[in-house]
Amino acid sequence: MEHVDRCVVLVDAGYLLGAAASLLAGEPARSRITVDHAALIQQLRERAEADTEQPLLRIYWFDGAPDRVPQPEHRRLRVMPRVTVRLGALTRSDGRWAQKGVDAAMHTELTELARNRACSDIVLVTGDGDLLPGLMSAKEHGVAVHLWAVQAADGDYNQSEDLVAEADERRVLDRAWITRAVRAKDLTGLCGTPPVPRPEIAAILSAPLPESALAASAERAAAAAAHNSAQTDPNAAAPSPAAGGVETANGSTVPAPAAGKTVPTPKDLAALRGPAAPSAPHPAGATLRWSSDKGWIDRPAAPLGEPAETAFLPTLAQVTSAEQRWADREEDITTVGGDPYEVGQVFARRWLDRLPEHGHVHKLAAMYPRIPHRIDGELLRYAARFGLLAHKDDQIDEHDRYAIRAGFWREIDVHAAAQHAPAPEESRGTP
C-alpha cells in the first residue's frame, strides 16, 4: 500500500508562538504578541504545499489550555477549513505556565499518520527533542519529514539538535515571514514611559460628569473636605458647599461651577487630573462613576448609584432569543477579533438593535461616562470570552476595560446621532 500523495502539518503552538514572541518582543511570553490566526494558517498551508509539492490534507494545531477548555483562539481555529485542534493541559507552577500532554499527542498523531500511510510528507513545526522517536518512526514508514524552525532571536538554534540532524528537510521561518501574521504588542506603558492615549479612551477618562450630577458631586466633595478638616483640626469651620469641588474621573477635584458658569470641559478636567490628594478619604486611584468588579466606586444611596430611569434597562441576555444567541456565538468565533475596543462595539451594536424601546438610549446617554452596573457587568463578562482576562487574578486589565467601554460608548453615540439625523430631502416630499 503506497502513501497518498499529500502533506500534513503538525504545529506545536507553544513553540511557534513562543519563539515568535522571543523574536519580535524579546521574551517568549505569548501575551506580548498579537496573532492573526487566519493569516497564519493560510501562510502555513501555502508554504507546506510549495515545499512538499503536495496538496494539503490537514493542519493539526497542538496547544495547551487550562483544564483543556478551548480558549477563544482555539474556537476560531477549529472552525477553519483543514484545521484540527488538539489540546493538552496548561498548568501554572512557580508563576509560569507549562503545557502537559502536547508532546505525547503530537507523537501519537505523527506515528499514526505514518503507520496508516495517510500522507507522503509531514511538516513538523516544533523544537522539542521528545518528538525524535516519532520522527524516526515516520521515516521508517517511508514518510518524508520536513522540520521548520522559527528564526531564533539570538541567531542560534531554538530546536533540538537531534531533530535537526534526523529531519529530511529543514526550513527556517524568518522574521519577514512571521511578521505577516504576528506583531509585537506595544507595552511601553509597562516600562515606565506613558503610552500615547487613544483619543476615544482619553475622552472617557477626562469627561465631565453629567450636568445633573454636578451639584451632588460638589456637595460630596465639600463633605469630604469638612470630614478631613474635622479630623486634623476639630475647631476648623466646615466649608460651605459653594467652596467645594467637582470630583473628576480619578478622584481629583475642580471648583464647582457657580451660578451662570459653564460646566468644565474635558480639556479643563484633563489639565487638572492627577493623583488624589494624600488626605482624601477614598483610596488613591479610585474610579469615579465606573461600574467595576474591583475597587471603590462612588455609589452612595440609590437612586444616585443606579438612577430609576435606567434601573429598568434590559440586559442583552434579556432581549436575545435562542436563535440570536446561536448566531452571536458563531459571529464571535468566526469574525470578532477580540480587540477590546471592537468587543465593546459588537456588544453595544447587538444590544441597540434588540432594544424594544429606543428611548432607553437617550436615558443612557445622559449617564455618560458611566454604564449602568447590570449592563456593565454583562459587557465585561462578554469581553472575558475573548481572552482579555489577566491570568494572575482573573480580572480584565484596566486599560482594556477603558477600551471596552470606549467602544461601547462609540456605538451609543453613532446610534443616537442617527436617530437625530434629519430626513433626506427626497423623503420629505414636495411642499
Side-chain angles (χ1 to χ4, degrees):
M1 178 179 172
E2 295 184 356
H3 292 287
V4 177
D5 291 334
R6 53 193 179 188
C7 67
V8 171
V9 182
L10 305 184
V11 179
D12 179 351
Y15 165 76
L16 173 60
L17 300 182
S22 294
L23 178 64
L24 302 181
E27 60 180 275
R30 287 162 62 171
S31 60
R32 296 293 305 277
I33 56 175
T34 299
V35 183
D36 183 341
H37 290 89
L40 183 59
I41 291 298
Q42 184 61 29
Q43 288 178 221
L44 290 169
R45 177 172 187 166
E46 291 174 356
R47 176 59 63 86
E49 291 181 336
D51 281 10
T52 65
E53 298 181 349
Q54 304 294 344
L56 177 76
L57 170 61
R58 189 173 298 116
I59 294 175
Y60 289 90
W61 185 273
F62 296 88
D63 203 1
D67 299 322
R68 290 186 168 86
V69 176
Q71 299 301 294
E73 65 183 81
H74 303 138
R75 297 204 302 269
R76 288 193 290 271
L77 282 163
R78 65 184 184 179
V79 297
M80 294 180 185
R82 305 277 179 159
V83 176
T84 296
V85 176
R86 297 278 188 260
L87 294 179
L90 191 63
T91 59
R92 192 172 180 84
S93 177
D94 297 328
R96 301 185 64 183
W97 291 95
Q99 296 182 158
K100 300 294 183 182
V102 172
D103 298 336
M106 288 190 71
H107 178 275
T108 300
E109 202 70 58
L110 176 60
T111 54
E112 285 297 311
L113 287 167
R115 183 181 298 114
N116 293 324
R117 301 179 178 272
C119 57
S120 58
D121 297 75
I122 292 179
V123 175
L124 281 178
V125 186
T126 186
D128 198 331
D130 291 344
L131 283 176
L132 182 62
L135 185 153
M136 297 178 68
S137 174
K139 290 174 61 178
E140 290 170 0
H141 284 87
V143 173
V145 180
H146 305 249
L147 182 65
W148 290 0
V150 175
Q151 178 182 337
D154 55 7
D156 200 355
Y157 288 123
N158 53 15
Q159 288 180 307
S160 161
E161 291 188 15
D162 291 334
L163 280 181
V164 173
E166 288 293 331
D168 294 309
E169 303 284 348
R170 183 169 182 260
R171 176 173 295 278
V172 176
L173 306 175
D174 60 17
R175 179 187 293 268
W177 191 92
I178 293 293
T179 52
R180 288 165 56 191
V182 183
R183 62 179 178 84
K185 291 181 179 178
D186 182 10
L187 300 179
T188 55
L190 299 181
C191 302
T193 303
V196 177
R198 287 168 56 171
E200 66 277 5
I201 298 175
I204 285 183
L205 294 178
S206 62
L209 298 178
E211 196 165 348
S212 60
L214 286 172
S217 296
E219 291 176 4
R220 290 196 299 272
H227 176 76
N228 289 338
S229 299
Q231 287 184 332
T232 56
D233 185 3
N235 297 320
S240 63
V246 177
E247 203 162 5
T248 63
N250 72 343
S252 60
T253 60
V254 296
K261 300 295 183 180
T262 59
V263 177
T265 66
K267 182 177 180 180
D268 297 331
L269 290 173
L272 292 169
R273 285 171 57 211
S279 60
H282 304 300
T287 302
L288 178 69
R289 300 184 62 75
W290 280 106
S291 288
S292 175
D293 48 2
K294 273 192 167 185
W296 171 82
I297 301 171
D298 181 22
R299 185 174 293 151
L304 187 57
E306 187 74 58
E309 62 267 22
T310 62
F312 300 102
L313 281 175
T315 63
L316 177 60
Q318 291 172 333
V319 294
T320 301
S321 66
E323 293 78 8
Q324 289 171 325
R325 190 172 294 111
W326 177 266
D328 290 348
R329 183 171 176 270
E330 289 294 309
E331 182 183 10
D332 289 344
I333 293 172
T334 57
T335 63
V336 180
D339 174 77
Y341 187 75
E342 178 192 9
V343 167
Q345 287 182 299
V346 171
F347 179 93
R349 193 178 305 127
R350 292 174 182 169
W351 187 64
L352 290 167
D353 288 344
R354 298 166 193 174
L355 276 178
E357 298 179 23
H358 290 280
H360 289 318
V361 177
H362 303 294
K363 297 176 182 177
L364 176 64
M367 298 184 64
Y368 178 88
R370 190 180 77 81
I371 303 174
H373 184 59
R374 293 175 303 109
I375 305 299
D376 190 62
E378 187 181 36
L379 170 61
L380 295 181
R381 288 192 297 273
Y382 171 69
R385 303 179 194 174
F386 295 90
L388 295 174
L389 293 178
H391 289 301
K392 64 179 182 179
D393 55 6
D394 289 334
Q395 298 297 329
I396 298 178
D397 176 78
E398 182 179 9
H399 190 271
D400 284 345
R401 290 203 304 270
Y402 286 138
I404 292 164
R405 288 156 173 156
F408 177 90
W409 281 115
R410 173 60 179 166
E411 285 301 310
I412 298 295
D413 289 344
V414 170
H415 189 85
Q419 286 188 336
H420 286 88
E425 292 293 336
E426 61 271 18
S427 64
R428 296 178 182 174
T430 56

